[in-house]
Amino acid sequence: MSEEVRRVFDAIEALEKIADPLERAKALGQVLKALPDKNKSLKAARQQAVAELMARPNASLRSVGAELEISFSTVQDIMKGYSGSGSKRPKKAAEE
């Protein structure tokens, strides 16, 4: 785990340990309220980082996936902006 990631989790743990229940509830509520927007920006930042990795010479879905320790299909999903289950992905057009 990187130092930056550890600091984020340390901060979350600190919120959970606030002694005063009123202050703890308020602080946790503020974080929970802001998380949906932060999730969107984090996903966009990850998508940009993966796009930069894919733009390198000789990069492939498999090579980038190996570096990130995720499957090539997850790299592909990130590049396409997919998240969550496959049920939320756009359906392929039916062939006529």
Side-chain angles (χ1 to χ4, degrees), residues 27-60:
L28 291 167
Q30 290 171 347
V31 170
L32 289 168
K33 184 177 179 181
L35 273 180
D37 288 336
K38 277 296 168 197
N39 280 342
K40 289 177 188 176
S41 68
L42 288 171
K43 286 178 185 179
R46 179 182 64 174
Q47 185 177 19
Q48 177 61 39
V50 170
E52 290 173 28
L53 293 171
M54 288 296 298
R56 298 178 304 181
N58 302 316
S60 69

Side-chain angles (χ1 to χ4, degrees), residues 1-14:
M1 182 180 305
S2 73
E3 177 66 21
E4 292 83 2
V5 173
R6 188 188 59 71
R7 285 196 310 256
V8 169
F9 285 109
D10 287 349
I12 291 170
E13 286 179 20

